[in-house]
Amino acid sequence: MKFRYKIGGLLFASVIIVSCISSIVELVINTTYLKNEFSEQQNMIGQRLLNNLSNTDYINYLIEKPMDEEAKQVLNNVMKEYEKKGDINFSLEDFQTGENDFDLYIINYDNIIISSTDKQDMGLNFNGNNSFVDFLSQVRTEGKFVASRIDLSLADGIMTKYCYLPSKDGNYIFEYGAPIVQDESLMKGISFVNFYEQIQADNVDVDRILLYNYLGVSYKKTRDGKNTVIDSDHTVYFKQAMQTMSTVKVTKKENGQKVFYQYIPYKINGSTGGNEINVVEVIYNNDRNDKLIKNYILRIIMINIFGAFVAAIFGVHESRKMIKPVEILTEGAKKIGTGDFDHEIAVKSNDELQLLADQFVKMQAQIKELLQERYQAEQNLENKNKEISEHKDEIESLYEETISINEELETLFAKNKNSYFETVKVLANVIEEKDLYTGGHCERVMIYSMMIGEALKIGEQEKSDLQFGSILHDIGKIGVPEYILHKKERLTQEEYEKIKEHPEIGYQLLSNLDFLDSSRRIIYEHHERVDGKGYPRGLKGDDIHFLAKIVCVADAFDAMTSNRAYRAVMSVEDALKELIANKGTQFDAEIVDAFIEYFEAQDIKSKMPIHMLNSKIIS
């Protein structure tokens, strides 16, 4: 693919990516806004429903008050008849003399209707309704007239007013029930059946609003004359709303669409008994929000398509302008590649490409100059070759002389290296002269270090650095007071801190000796630990010089197997176990393993003192 198309594609992709991101952000913001707005709308509708229901409830309460007086008079007459006869062998129809259409019932102690003016309710057993049974027990206990509020007749689901009067002996409860007939044309919007109509008309998102009594039966009847019963799947939400007296919201997916349910509890004004709490069920659809979101998505798609079209045109136009200098440079490179160093490269872009072109022209001139120099050098070389051929015998003589000089230099180098090492040993002896208990310590540490280096197959230069670094590892103790070095008791914290300065002192002390420059870091870091708890810098793992980690193991091993003023010498076997125990924390695991394997390979007996090993072991 040509660079021009890549640039154009990049511009196009950048515009599309930015457009898509902004579109997604806008969609998320709008969707969240609609969701919050929908939730707020539900809350507002719920509050408005409760206000309407409260007003409706109060109006019904006023309508029911005259009925309470009539019920009280009628039930007192029934009570007098019972007390007069001493039993219930009398006709309840004799007491239906009022203007209202009402029924009378006698409920025995077993909560069963044993007498009624409505033959349909004869034998009705209330024991399956726990809340109503509790209410009847309360009526018997209080022993006085109770006017309950509106309820639904169990037989036909008609809204009915019920009142109760218990007999003084507690054997019976006399019940009064009168249907509440409402003229919907006069009471539109203020009855339990249609209190919500205006709210539903004002909100297209509301599919249905129904008021259910405490048994989950709606006051509104269907076309076939039956009361709507709450869906069995939603009974749990219905009960939860009554128990908690708080709104319960449920979202379900039905027929591929989201449906939102809201269950709002309401306590009937002045109600006693089972039907104290009713629940309003509101069913919402999400059609309006779905349409708005679809319109958002459609608008975003159209904007992105238009943006893509504009981006494509812009990308093609701009890429042509941007790529022109690159094409000129590419053509110039091809020409120069074919040997045309006189090809003119002219770029005018006033940017980095202009600078690149200027440098390219300079490079072109330099290549041309270098080629000319090369040609001249080849001519000179050819002339020199002729001269060399003419002086072949002289060259061969010089070659033999050079070999002899090289051999002499190698001998001198070996002597010089040995002289360096002897000088280093003198430095090491200075330490041991000062710290008598470490006699031979530096040389043994060097021996152990070289053993490990041999086991790890390090290079010749590394061996040389390791040899010098290991024998001089404690050179810094020159700067530590002698009373600390000679102290037989355990060091104080302050004295120990002074001892810990010797790696840095040694590092600085040898700073002017060029031939020890590569070994100074070994001296500086030989007391660092792989877990970072060493000193002087607390380095960890691979941050520590590999050769310094070798000297760390050798130094610790010799310290454990040598006498100290404050402890007895440790056996080789115990010292090796100590090295193994501290692998990965104090010591590098690879180095410890190599040290131990080398011991085993050389068949060194664990009881032999390490400082008595002969030179064959480390040869």
Side-chain angles (χ1 to χ4, degrees):
M1 184 183 292
K2 290 186 177 181
F3 189 64
R4 177 172 61 189
Y5 299 138
K6 290 182 180 179
I7 291 292
L10 179 61
L11 292 172
F12 177 78
S14 300
V15 173
I16 293 300
I17 290 171
V18 172
S19 178
C20 288
I21 291 174
S22 61
S23 299
I24 291 171
V25 170
E26 181 186 3
L27 180 61
V28 170
I29 291 173
N30 287 330
T31 303
T32 304
Y33 172 77
L34 289 174
K35 184 178 179 181
N36 293 337
E37 184 186 42
F38 187 55
S39 179
E40 287 295 323
Q41 183 185 16
Q42 289 182 19
N43 294 335
M44 292 173 61
I45 290 173
Q47 190 57 49
R48 186 177 171 189
L49 281 170
L50 288 176
N51 293 337
N52 281 15
L53 187 55
S54 179
N55 294 334
T56 301
D57 187 21
Y58 182 71
I59 292 171
N60 278 277
Y61 179 72
L62 295 178
I63 294 172
E64 294 175 44
K65 288 297 288 182
M67 298 176 69
D68 291 349
E69 297 301 323
E70 181 186 52
K72 189 172 185 180
Q73 182 179 352
V74 171
L75 291 177
N76 279 327
N77 291 337
V78 174
M79 175 68 77
K80 289 177 182 179
E81 185 68 18
Y82 170 69
E83 291 176 346
K84 177 181 177 183
K85 289 194 171 187
D87 56 40
I88 58 171
N89 293 322
F90 52 86
S91 176
L92 292 175
E93 283 81 358
D94 295 340
F95 299 94
Q96 291 180 312
T97 58
E99 295 180 359
N100 292 328
D101 180 19
F102 64 88
D103 284 306
L104 295 173
Y105 311 88
I106 299 177
I107 304 171
N108 69 5
Y109 201 80
D110 294 325
N111 301 317
I112 299 173
I113 295 178
I114 59 174
S115 180
S116 174
T117 57
D118 186 354
K119 304 306 177 185
Q120 209 173 358
D121 288 337
M122 281 294 292
L124 188 62
N125 190 337
F126 297 113
N127 287 309
N129 190 334
N130 294 332
S131 60
F132 188 67
V133 169
D134 292 340
F135 166 69
L136 293 176
S137 298
Q138 184 180 351
V139 170
R140 290 189 184 95
T141 302
E142 293 180 357
K144 61 182 181 181
F145 174 80
V146 176
S148 182
R149 285 296 313 280
I150 192 169
D151 202 348
L152 291 171
S153 168
L154 292 177
D156 52 20
I158 296 174
M159 287 187 291
T160 307
K161 170 73 177 181
Y162 291 104
C163 298
Y164 307 88
L165 181 66
S167 63
K168 293 179 180 178
D169 57 15
N171 291 330
Y172 304 102
I173 294 177
F174 304 110
E175 181 182 16
Y176 168 98
I180 299 176
V181 181
Q182 296 178 331
D183 187 341
E184 293 189 10
S185 62
L186 295 176
M187 302 185 68
K188 187 173 184 180
I190 57 172
S191 71
F192 282 110
V193 175
N194 53 18
F195 69 95
Y196 55 81
E197 286 184 348
Q198 189 57 49
I199 295 175
Q200 189 168 351
D202 293 341
N203 295 274
V204 295
D205 296 333
V206 178
D207 283 344
R208 188 179 77 178
I209 303 175
L210 286 178
L211 178 66
Y212 294 97
N213 74 348
Y214 73 111
L215 294 175
V217 180
S218 171
Y219 292 95
K220 189 174 182 67
K221 293 183 179 292
T222 59
R223 291 182 179 179
D224 57 2
K226 296 182 180 179
N227 295 76
T228 303
V229 180
I230 194 164
D231 192 321
S232 60
D233 292 341
H234 290 206
T235 303
V236 61
Y237 313 124
F238 170 80
K239 290 182 178 179
Q240 183 182 349
M242 287 200 301
Q243 291 169 357
T244 61
M245 286 304 293
S246 59
T247 301
V248 176
K249 293 182 179 181
V250 182
T251 303
K252 287 192 171 183
K253 203 160 189 180
E254 299 175 359
N255 299 324
Q257 291 187 332
K258 279 188 178 180
V259 180
F260 304 86
Y261 293 86
Q262 192 177 23
Y263 292 94
I264 308 169
Y266 175 76
K267 191 175 189 306
I268 300 294
N269 180 31
S271 176
T272 58
N275 196 41
E276 290 182 79
I277 301 173
N278 284 193
V279 176
V280 182
E281 178 189 59
V282 189
I283 304 177
Y284 301 87
N285 64 68
N286 203 34
D287 296 344
R288 183 171 63 90
N289 283 358
D290 287 343
K291 289 180 181 178
L292 288 173
I293 291 173
K294 287 179 181 178
N295 288 337
Y296 282 140
I297 294 174
L298 181 61
R299 185 179 69 181
I300 287 170
I301 292 173
M302 295 302 295
I303 290 173
N304 284 340
I305 291 174
F306 178 74
F309 177 73
V310 172
I313 295 175
F314 177 78
V316 171
H317 180 266
E318 289 300 311
S319 64
R320 285 177 178 173
K321 289 170 57 180
M322 295 171 63
I323 207 64
K324 188 64 178 177
V326 177
E327 290 177 341
I328 293 173
L329 289 172
T330 303
E331 182 64 23
K334 289 180 178 179
K335 293 287 186 181
I336 293 172
T338 60
D340 185 3
F341 293 99
D342 295 322
H343 177 75
E344 184 178 351
I345 299 174
V347 173
K348 296 180 180 180
S349 61
N350 297 321
D351 55 19
E352 290 84 356
L353 290 175
Q354 176 72 61
L355 178 62
L356 178 62
D358 293 343
Q359 295 299 320
F360 199 88
V361 170
K362 290 180 181 179
M363 182 184 69
Q364 180 183 5
Q366 289 174 353
I367 293 173
K368 186 176 180 180
E369 184 179 347
L370 288 171
L371 287 173
Q372 291 175 347
E373 290 178 358
R374 177 186 172 185
Y375 175 75
Q376 187 62 44
E378 287 175 350
Q379 291 297 319
N380 293 336
L381 181 61
E382 187 176 348
N383 294 332
K384 291 292 182 183
N385 285 336
K386 290 179 180 179
E387 292 180 11
I388 291 171
S389 297
E390 293 174 356
H391 300 88
K392 182 178 179 181
D393 294 338
E394 184 179 350
I395 291 171
E396 288 178 354
S397 176
L398 288 172
Y399 175 72
E400 291 175 0
E401 185 178 349
T402 301
I403 291 174
S404 177
I405 292 171
N406 285 340
E407 290 175 352
E408 185 177 351
L409 286 174
E410 286 180 4
T411 302
L412 291 173
F413 177 75
K415 289 181 179 180
N416 189 45
K417 183 177 179 181
N418 186 58
S419 177
Y420 280 162
F421 183 66
E422 291 301 322
T423 302
V424 167
K425 286 184 68 174
V426 170
L427 290 173
N429 289 334
V430 171
I431 307 167
E432 296 185 350
E433 286 294 328
K434 187 174 183 181
D435 188 3
L436 296 177
Y437 85 88
T438 60
H441 169 70
C442 294
E443 189 165 355
R444 290 196 301 275
V445 170
M446 179 194 72
I447 292 172
Y448 298 144
S449 299
M450 297 307 290
M451 286 169 57
I452 297 171
E454 184 71 24
L456 293 172
K457 296 181 172 53
I458 63 176
E460 292 301 320
Q461 182 58 49
E462 289 180 313
K463 285 182 180 179
S464 178
D465 294 340
L466 181 60
Q467 185 180 33
F468 290 141
S470 59
I471 200 167
L472 288 175
H473 70 284
D474 278 342
I475 188 68
K477 287 185 178 180
I478 291 174
V480 178
E482 291 186 11
Y483 79 88
I484 296 177
L485 296 175
H486 294 165
K487 187 174 181 180
K488 295 182 178 181
E489 299 82 9
R490 187 171 293 276
L491 299 179
T492 65
Q493 185 61 36
E494 183 179 356
E495 290 168 343
Y496 180 59
E497 291 298 326
K498 195 68 180 176
I499 281 287
K500 286 166 64 177
E501 294 177 2
H502 79 272
E504 188 166 2
I505 294 172
Y507 181 78
Q508 298 297 336
L509 189 64
L510 303 177
S511 60
N512 294 323
L513 298 178
D514 293 341
F515 74 96
L516 291 176
D517 192 55
S518 300
S519 301
R520 288 171 64 223
R521 188 175 168 188
I522 299 173
I523 296 167
Y524 194 34
E525 299 178 6
H526 77 277
H527 276 297
E528 299 286 0
R529 293 168 50 117
V530 294
D531 60 4
K533 296 181 180 179
Y535 63 86
R537 292 191 294 167
L539 301 178
K540 294 177 68 174
D542 292 337
D543 293 336
I544 306 170
H545 195 297
F546 184 69
L547 298 181
K549 288 191 277 189
I550 291 176
V551 175
C552 177
V553 173
D555 186 28
F557 185 75
D558 186 67
M560 288 186 285
T561 55
S562 299
N563 281 316
R564 291 291 187 269
Y566 50 84
R567 61 163 173 76
V569 65
M570 188 181 294
S571 70
V572 173
E573 183 178 4
D574 290 341
L576 292 177
K577 288 179 180 179
E578 191 68 19
L579 290 179
I580 294 171
N582 289 278
K583 284 198 307 182
T585 54
Q586 182 177 355
F587 308 117
D588 184 283
E590 180 187 3
I591 293 171
V592 171
D593 291 341
F595 189 33
I596 294 171
E597 287 176 10
Y598 195 83
F599 263 75
E600 293 174 352
Q602 297 296 331
D603 194 23
I604 300 171
K605 294 182 179 180
S606 60
K607 293 183 180 180
M608 181 183 294
I610 297 304
H611 54 78
M612 298 298 292
L613 294 174
N614 60 42
S615 60
K616 291 183 178 179
I617 296 175
I618 61 166
S619 59

PDB file of all heavy atoms in Angstrom, residues 70 73-75 77-78 91-104 117 176:
ATOM      1  N   GLU A  70     -76.930   3.758  60.596  1.00  0.00           N
ATOM      2  CA  GLU A  70     -77.996   2.784  60.328  1.00  0.00           C
ATOM      3  C   GLU A  70     -77.577   1.387  60.761  1.00  0.00           C
ATOM      4  O   GLU A  70     -78.343   0.645  61.392  1.00  0.00           O
ATOM      5  CB  GLU A  70     -78.330   2.774  58.834  1.00  0.00           C
ATOM      6  CG  GLU A  70     -79.461   1.784  58.506  1.00  0.00           C
ATOM      7  CD  GLU A  70     -79.681   1.667  57.001  1.00  0.00           C
ATOM      8  OE1 GLU A  70     -78.687   1.419  56.286  1.00  0.00           O
ATOM      9  OE2 GLU A  70     -80.815   1.795  56.576  1.00  0.00           O
ATOM     10  N   GLN A  73     -77.779   0.887  64.566  1.00  0.00           N
ATOM     11  CA  GLN A  73     -79.154   0.731  65.054  1.00  0.00           C
ATOM     12  C   GLN A  73     -79.678  -0.656  64.752  1.00  0.00           C
ATOM     13  O   GLN A  73     -80.279  -1.322  65.621  1.00  0.00           O
ATOM     14  CB  GLN A  73     -80.038   1.809  64.419  1.00  0.00           C
ATOM     15  CG  GLN A  73     -81.488   1.754  64.912  1.00  0.00           C
ATOM     16  CD  GLN A  73     -82.335   2.854  64.279  1.00  0.00           C
ATOM     17  OE1 GLN A  73     -81.821   3.731  63.592  1.00  0.00           O
ATOM     18  NE2 GLN A  73     -83.640   2.806  64.526  1.00  0.00           N
ATOM     19  N   VAL A  74     -79.433  -1.121  63.518  1.00  0.00           N
ATOM     20  CA  VAL A  74     -79.951  -2.432  63.106  1.00  0.00           C
ATOM     21  C   VAL A  74     -79.301  -3.539  63.942  1.00  0.00           C
ATOM     22  O   VAL A  74     -79.979  -4.453  64.435  1.00  0.00           O
ATOM     23  CB  VAL A  74     -79.692  -2.665  61.600  1.00  0.00           C
ATOM     24  CG1 VAL A  74     -80.018  -4.107  61.225  1.00  0.00           C
ATOM     25  CG2 VAL A  74     -80.505  -1.701  60.765  1.00  0.00           C
ATOM     26  N   LEU A  75     -77.978  -3.492  64.123  1.00  0.00           N
ATOM     27  CA  LEU A  75     -77.280  -4.537  64.870  1.00  0.00           C
ATOM     28  C   LEU A  75     -77.668  -4.534  66.343  1.00  0.00           C
ATOM     29  O   LEU A  75     -77.729  -5.598  66.982  1.00  0.00           O
ATOM     30  CB  LEU A  75     -75.766  -4.364  64.715  1.00  0.00           C
ATOM     31  CG  LEU A  75     -75.205  -4.647  63.309  1.00  0.00           C
ATOM     32  CD1 LEU A  75     -73.701  -4.377  63.273  1.00  0.00           C
ATOM     33  CD2 LEU A  75     -75.488  -6.083  62.888  1.00  0.00           C
ATOM     34  N   ASN A  77     -80.651  -3.797  67.415  1.00  0.00           N
ATOM     35  CA  ASN A  77     -81.970  -4.456  67.430  1.00  0.00           C
ATOM     36  C   ASN A  77     -81.799  -5.967  67.380  1.00  0.00           C
ATOM     37  O   ASN A  77     -82.512  -6.715  68.074  1.00  0.00           O
ATOM     38  CB  ASN A  77     -82.810  -3.974  66.259  1.00  0.00           C
ATOM     39  CG  ASN A  77     -83.233  -2.520  66.411  1.00  0.00           C
ATOM     40  OD1 ASN A  77     -83.272  -2.002  67.550  1.00  0.00           O
ATOM     41  ND2 ASN A  77     -83.530  -1.852  65.301  1.00  0.00           N
ATOM     42  N   VAL A  78     -80.831  -6.441  66.545  1.00  0.00           N
ATOM     43  CA  VAL A  78     -80.586  -7.885  66.461  1.00  0.00           C
ATOM     44  C   VAL A  78     -80.066  -8.394  67.804  1.00  0.00           C
ATOM     45  O   VAL A  78     -80.479  -9.469  68.280  1.00  0.00           O
ATOM     46  CB  VAL A  78     -79.573  -8.192  65.336  1.00  0.00           C
ATOM     47  CG1 VAL A  78     -79.204  -9.675  65.354  1.00  0.00           C
ATOM     48  CG2 VAL A  78     -80.133  -7.802  63.984  1.00  0.00           C
ATOM     49  N   SER A  91     -85.691 -14.742  62.692  1.00  0.00           N
ATOM     50  CA  SER A  91     -85.460 -14.429  61.282  1.00  0.00           C
ATOM     51  C   SER A  91     -84.757 -13.090  61.157  1.00  0.00           C
ATOM     52  O   SER A  91     -85.239 -12.073  61.675  1.00  0.00           O
ATOM     53  CB  SER A  91     -86.795 -14.389  60.525  1.00  0.00           C
ATOM     54  OG  SER A  91     -86.573 -13.991  59.188  1.00  0.00           O
ATOM     55  N   LEU A  92     -83.609 -13.105  60.463  1.00  0.00           N
ATOM     56  CA  LEU A  92     -82.868 -11.851  60.236  1.00  0.00           C
ATOM     57  C   LEU A  92     -83.578 -10.940  59.247  1.00  0.00           C
ATOM     58  O   LEU A  92     -83.362  -9.720  59.250  1.00  0.00           O
ATOM     59  CB  LEU A  92     -81.444 -12.172  59.720  1.00  0.00           C
ATOM     60  CG  LEU A  92     -80.509 -12.845  60.726  1.00  0.00           C
ATOM     61  CD1 LEU A  92     -79.190 -13.198  60.039  1.00  0.00           C
ATOM     62  CD2 LEU A  92     -80.239 -11.952  61.924  1.00  0.00           C
ATOM     63  N   GLU A  93     -84.439 -11.522  58.378  1.00  0.00           N
ATOM     64  CA  GLU A  93     -85.159 -10.713  57.391  1.00  0.00           C
ATOM     65  C   GLU A  93     -86.078  -9.698  58.061  1.00  0.00           C
ATOM     66  O   GLU A  93     -86.415  -8.650  57.477  1.00  0.00           O
ATOM     67  CB  GLU A  93     -85.983 -11.607  56.468  1.00  0.00           C
ATOM     68  CG  GLU A  93     -85.171 -12.319  55.401  1.00  0.00           C
ATOM     69  CD  GLU A  93     -84.491 -13.567  55.933  1.00  0.00           C
ATOM     70  OE1 GLU A  93     -84.619 -13.854  57.135  1.00  0.00           O
ATOM     71  OE2 GLU A  93     -83.820 -14.269  55.140  1.00  0.00           O
ATOM     72  N   ASP A  94     -86.498  -9.967  59.309  1.00  0.00           N
ATOM     73  CA  ASP A  94     -87.393  -9.055  60.021  1.00  0.00           C
ATOM     74  C   ASP A  94     -86.734  -7.723  60.323  1.00  0.00           C
ATOM     75  O   ASP A  94     -87.432  -6.736  60.612  1.00  0.00           O
ATOM     76  CB  ASP A  94     -87.848  -9.706  61.339  1.00  0.00           C
ATOM     77  CG  ASP A  94     -88.689 -10.957  61.095  1.00  0.00           C
ATOM     78  OD1 ASP A  94     -89.220 -11.089  59.976  1.00  0.00           O
ATOM     79  OD2 ASP A  94     -88.782 -11.795  62.022  1.00  0.00           O
ATOM     80  N   PHE A  95     -85.411  -7.684  60.254  1.00  0.00           N
ATOM     81  CA  PHE A  95     -84.698  -6.450  60.596  1.00  0.00           C
ATOM     82  C   PHE A  95     -84.317  -5.632  59.350  1.00  0.00           C
ATOM     83  O   PHE A  95     -83.728  -4.569  59.476  1.00  0.00           O
ATOM     84  CB  PHE A  95     -83.419  -6.784  61.387  1.00  0.00           C
ATOM     85  CG  PHE A  95     -83.684  -7.488  62.678  1.00  0.00           C
ATOM     86  CD1 PHE A  95     -83.651  -8.869  62.741  1.00  0.00           C
ATOM     87  CD2 PHE A  95     -84.004  -6.770  63.831  1.00  0.00           C
ATOM     88  CE1 PHE A  95     -83.883  -9.528  63.928  1.00  0.00           C
ATOM     89  CE2 PHE A  95     -84.241  -7.437  65.028  1.00  0.00           C
ATOM     90  CZ  PHE A  95     -84.188  -8.826  65.078  1.00  0.00           C
ATOM     91  N   GLN A  96     -84.661  -6.124  58.159  1.00  0.00           N
ATOM     92  CA  GLN A  96     -84.359  -5.394  56.912  1.00  0.00           C
ATOM     93  C   GLN A  96     -85.457  -4.389  56.617  1.00  0.00           C
ATOM     94  O   GLN A  96     -86.245  -4.554  55.705  1.00  0.00           O
ATOM     95  CB  GLN A  96     -84.186  -6.364  55.750  1.00  0.00           C
ATOM     96  CG  GLN A  96     -82.926  -7.214  55.847  1.00  0.00           C
ATOM     97  CD  GLN A  96     -82.797  -8.171  54.678  1.00  0.00           C
ATOM     98  OE1 GLN A  96     -83.761  -8.870  54.330  1.00  0.00           O
ATOM     99  NE2 GLN A  96     -81.616  -8.226  54.088  1.00  0.00           N
ATOM    100  N   THR A  97     -85.521  -3.344  57.395  1.00  0.00           N
ATOM    101  CA  THR A  97     -86.582  -2.343  57.245  1.00  0.00           C
ATOM    102  C   THR A  97     -86.038  -0.987  56.805  1.00  0.00           C
ATOM    103  O   THR A  97     -86.782  -0.049  56.612  1.00  0.00           O
ATOM    104  CB  THR A  97     -87.307  -2.163  58.580  1.00  0.00           C
ATOM    105  OG1 THR A  97     -86.348  -1.780  59.570  1.00  0.00           O
ATOM    106  CG2 THR A  97     -88.003  -3.452  58.995  1.00  0.00           C
ATOM    107  N   GLY A  98     -84.745  -0.884  56.678  1.00  0.00           N
ATOM    108  CA  GLY A  98     -84.159   0.404  56.309  1.00  0.00           C
ATOM    109  C   GLY A  98     -84.343   0.722  54.835  1.00  0.00           C
ATOM    110  O   GLY A  98     -84.790  -0.106  54.030  1.00  0.00           O
ATOM    111  N   GLU A  99     -83.985   1.958  54.479  1.00  0.00           N
ATOM    112  CA  GLU A  99     -84.096   2.382  53.084  1.00  0.00           C
ATOM    113  C   GLU A  99     -82.990   1.759  52.223  1.00  0.00           C
ATOM    114  O   GLU A  99     -83.167   1.528  51.042  1.00  0.00           O
ATOM    115  CB  GLU A  99     -83.995   3.906  52.998  1.00  0.00           C
ATOM    116  CG  GLU A  99     -85.160   4.621  53.687  1.00  0.00           C
ATOM    117  CD  GLU A  99     -85.025   6.130  53.571  1.00  0.00           C
ATOM    118  OE1 GLU A  99     -84.024   6.574  52.971  1.00  0.00           O
ATOM    119  OE2 GLU A  99     -85.901   6.843  54.063  1.00  0.00           O
ATOM    120  N   ASN A 100     -81.826   1.493  52.836  1.00  0.00           N
ATOM    121  CA  ASN A 100     -80.710   0.923  52.075  1.00  0.00           C
ATOM    122  C   ASN A 100     -80.880  -0.582  51.926  1.00  0.00           C
ATOM    123  O   ASN A 100     -81.481  -1.255  52.772  1.00  0.00           O
ATOM    124  CB  ASN A 100     -79.386   1.226  52.780  1.00  0.00           C
ATOM    125  CG  ASN A 100     -79.052   2.716  52.745  1.00  0.00           C
ATOM    126  OD1 ASN A 100     -79.399   3.392  51.794  1.00  0.00           O
ATOM    127  ND2 ASN A 100     -78.411   3.197  53.798  1.00  0.00           N
ATOM    128  N   ASP A 101     -80.277  -1.089  50.844  1.00  0.00           N
ATOM    129  CA  ASP A 101     -80.273  -2.535  50.584  1.00  0.00           C
ATOM    130  C   ASP A 101     -79.092  -3.133  51.333  1.00  0.00           C
ATOM    131  O   ASP A 101     -77.952  -2.870  50.988  1.00  0.00           O
ATOM    132  CB  ASP A 101     -80.142  -2.780  49.072  1.00  0.00           C
ATOM    133  CG  ASP A 101     -80.133  -4.273  48.764  1.00  0.00           C
ATOM    134  OD1 ASP A 101     -80.575  -5.065  49.619  1.00  0.00           O
ATOM    135  OD2 ASP A 101     -79.650  -4.629  47.656  1.00  0.00           O
ATOM    136  N   PHE A 102     -79.337  -3.908  52.385  1.00  0.00           N
ATOM    137  CA  PHE A 102     -78.254  -4.473  53.169  1.00  0.00           C
ATOM    138  C   PHE A 102     -78.580  -5.904  53.542  1.00  0.00           C
ATOM    139  O   PHE A 102     -79.729  -6.355  53.473  1.00  0.00           O
ATOM    140  CB  PHE A 102     -77.976  -3.638  54.425  1.00  0.00           C
ATOM    141  CG  PHE A 102     -79.109  -3.601  55.412  1.00  0.00           C
ATOM    142  CD1 PHE A 102     -79.234  -4.577  56.404  1.00  0.00           C
ATOM    143  CD2 PHE A 102     -80.073  -2.579  55.362  1.00  0.00           C
ATOM    144  CE1 PHE A 102     -80.279  -4.536  57.313  1.00  0.00           C
ATOM    145  CE2 PHE A 102     -81.106  -2.553  56.269  1.00  0.00           C
ATOM    146  CZ  PHE A 102     -81.224  -3.530  57.244  1.00  0.00           C
ATOM    147  N   ASP A 103     -77.545  -6.642  53.955  1.00  0.00           N
ATOM    148  CA  ASP A 103     -77.697  -8.017  54.418  1.00  0.00           C
ATOM    149  C   ASP A 103     -77.168  -8.127  55.830  1.00  0.00           C
ATOM    150  O   ASP A 103     -76.293  -7.362  56.262  1.00  0.00           O
ATOM    151  CB  ASP A 103     -76.910  -8.974  53.507  1.00  0.00           C
ATOM    152  CG  ASP A 103     -77.625  -9.209  52.182  1.00  0.00           C
ATOM    153  OD1 ASP A 103     -78.789  -9.599  52.218  1.00  0.00           O
ATOM    154  OD2 ASP A 103     -76.970  -8.984  51.128  1.00  0.00           O
ATOM    155  N   LEU A 104     -77.742  -9.134  56.597  1.00  0.00           N
ATOM    156  CA  LEU A 104     -77.317  -9.400  57.962  1.00  0.00           C
ATOM    157  C   LEU A 104     -76.765 -10.813  58.050  1.00  0.00           C
ATOM    158  O   LEU A 104     -77.239 -11.721  57.348  1.00  0.00           O
ATOM    159  CB  LEU A 104     -78.488  -9.228  58.929  1.00  0.00           C
ATOM    160  CG  LEU A 104     -79.040  -7.799  59.044  1.00  0.00           C
ATOM    161  CD1 LEU A 104     -80.302  -7.791  59.903  1.00  0.00           C
ATOM    162  CD2 LEU A 104     -78.007  -6.859  59.631  1.00  0.00           C
ATOM    163  N   THR A 117     -79.142 -13.295  55.643  1.00  0.00           N
ATOM    164  CA  THR A 117     -80.229 -12.919  54.739  1.00  0.00           C
ATOM    165  C   THR A 117     -79.837 -13.198  53.293  1.00  0.00           C
ATOM    166  O   THR A 117     -80.683 -13.196  52.412  1.00  0.00           O
ATOM    167  CB  THR A 117     -80.557 -11.428  54.902  1.00  0.00           C
ATOM    168  OG1 THR A 117     -79.362 -10.676  54.650  1.00  0.00           O
ATOM    169  CG2 THR A 117     -81.065 -11.129  56.304  1.00  0.00           C
ATOM    170  N   TYR A 176     -73.236  -6.609  59.620  1.00  0.00           N
ATOM    171  CA  TYR A 176     -74.052  -5.816  58.715  1.00  0.00           C
ATOM    172  C   TYR A 176     -73.231  -5.570  57.450  1.00  0.00           C
ATOM    173  O   TYR A 176     -72.084  -5.139  57.527  1.00  0.00           O
ATOM    174  CB  TYR A 176     -74.415  -4.496  59.395  1.00  0.00           C
ATOM    175  CG  TYR A 176     -75.027  -3.439  58.495  1.00  0.00           C
ATOM    176  CD1 TYR A 176     -76.406  -3.255  58.435  1.00  0.00           C
ATOM    177  CD2 TYR A 176     -74.213  -2.587  57.743  1.00  0.00           C
ATOM    178  CE1 TYR A 176     -76.960  -2.245  57.639  1.00  0.00           C
ATOM    179  CE2 TYR A 176     -74.755  -1.595  56.941  1.00  0.00           C
ATOM    180  CZ  TYR A 176     -76.133  -1.432  56.888  1.00  0.00           C
ATOM    181  OH  TYR A 176     -76.678  -0.450  56.097  1.00  0.00           O
TER     182      TYR A 176
END
